[in-house]
Amino acid sequence: DAGVIQSPRHEVTEMGQEVTLRCKPISGHDYLFWYRQTMMRGLELLIYFNNNVPIDDSGMPEDRFSAKMPNASFSTLKIQPSEPRDSAVYFCASSFERGGHLNQPQHFGDGTRLSIL
Amino acid sequence: SQKIEQNSEALNIQEGKTATLTCNYTNYSPAYLQWYRQDPGRGPVFLLLIRENEKEKRKERLKVTFDTTLKQSLFHITASQPADSATYLCALSNFGNEKLTFGTGTRLTIIP
């Protein structure tokens, strides 16, 4: 089975540019998560969706960040305008509610390494 | 505020010995605790999940304990191998809430 697929794997862009990160979750999974990982702050949850609906976006740092999930097989995280402090590795993860049981393991993609110059 | 601490940033263990990693938390009453492994340049990979009413969970050479009184989880790798070298992350969540809060991780190196 294909795992969570993220693109691009690496992105280098100049400050002020719009950045779009993409994620394809595992087929059949009904939860999708966006995380950011830095040396200073570790792995932080930005936002998560259930059945394509945003449930908790309290981790989104500011209005420059937005996330969408137009359908069950695709999600985007946008940063506009980007700043050097946004440089990090961004991970997407998915999980599914097994038989009504929540808090299931999350399956992560290999991330997008973002560098803002 | 909620805080999750993993015992040390780095841990070196001789091959064949048992590696023990610690996850402590404060200002938190999690219902679930998970352990993940992360290799350089890769995303975290799920290893084990333990519930608040479970004291211990095992999977092959891995063992996890969960002490809600001490607010601590221990993660053991027995008969450690160089291939076990990676960063290990603990993560906590509340019942009915999919939001995971991760610790900062421990980088484990198994020395041949």
Side-chain angles (χ1 to χ4, degrees):
Chain A
D1 285 338
V4 174
I5 299 172
Q6 292 187 245
S7 64
R9 286 299 313 275
H10 303 274
E11 174 90 13
V12 180
T13 192
E14 291 188 346
M15 182 175 68
Q17 297 297 306
E18 177 179 291
V19 173
T20 299
L21 311 181
R22 296 172 174 80
C23 175
K24 178 179 169 54
I26 293 173
S27 177
H29 281 195
D30 46 12
Y31 284 89
L32 184 138
F33 306 82
W34 282 102
Y35 290 88
R36 178 171 68 177
Q37 188 173 42
T38 61
M39 289 294 292
M40 288 295 294
R41 299 175 68 90
L43 192 61
E44 300 175 288
L45 178 67
L46 299 177
I47 184 171
Y48 79 91
F49 296 82
N50 178 219
N51 292 322
N52 313 337
V53 175
I55 302 300
D56 186 339
D57 66 354
S58 59
M60 295 286 261
E62 47 197 278
D63 291 346
R64 297 185 297 106
F65 286 69
S66 63
K68 292 183 180 179
M69 192 164 185
N71 57 62
S73 58
F74 183 66
S75 177
T76 59
L77 178 68
K78 280 191 181 179
I79 309 173
Q80 166 64 16
S82 58
E83 296 183 4
R85 59 193 168 118
D86 301 330
S87 297
V89 181
Y90 290 81
F91 288 102
C92 176
S94 68
S95 68
F96 75 101
E97 190 178 319
R98 192 190 298 262
H101 295 285
L102 300 176
N103 304 97
Q104 294 297 318
Q106 295 183 14
H107 301 258
F108 283 77
D110 282 335
T112 296
R113 183 173 295 276
L114 178 64
S115 298
I116 308 297
L117 306 177
Chain B
S1 61
Q2 296 173 346
K3 198 172 180 184
I4 303 170
E5 289 184 334
Q6 295 192 237
N7 56 329
S8 55
E9 277 192 30
L11 188 63
N12 296 330
I13 299 293
Q14 205 70 35
E15 182 178 3
K17 301 290 186 186
T18 296
T20 299
L21 284 63
T22 305
C23 176
N24 294 296
Y25 57 92
T26 55
N27 298 324
Y28 207 138
S29 296
Y32 302 89
L33 192 147
Q34 302 184 28
W35 282 88
Y36 288 78
R37 168 187 173 136
Q38 187 173 21
D39 291 286
R42 306 297 300 273
V45 174
F46 170 76
L47 296 174
L48 281 168
L49 179 152
I50 188 166
R51 296 175 174 78
E52 61 177 344
N53 60 350
E54 298 175 317
K55 297 298 181 189
E56 183 179 297
K57 205 84 169 279
R58 291 175 185 261
K59 179 183 175 183
E60 298 171 354
R61 293 184 297 113
L62 308 180
K63 184 177 87 171
V64 172
T65 62
F66 192 6
D67 189 326
T68 55
T69 301
L70 290 179
K71 294 186 180 295
Q72 181 182 79
S73 174
L74 299 179
F75 177 80
H76 306 273
I77 305 175
T78 59
S80 59
Q81 304 166 0
D84 295 326
S85 299
T87 295
Y88 291 84
L89 302 160
C90 67
L92 282 64
S93 60
N94 292 320
F95 180 77
N97 188 335
E98 296 303 297
K99 183 173 180 176
L100 271 181
T101 303
F102 280 85
T104 50
T106 296
R107 188 172 66 253
L108 176 66
T109 302
I110 306 301
I111 303 166

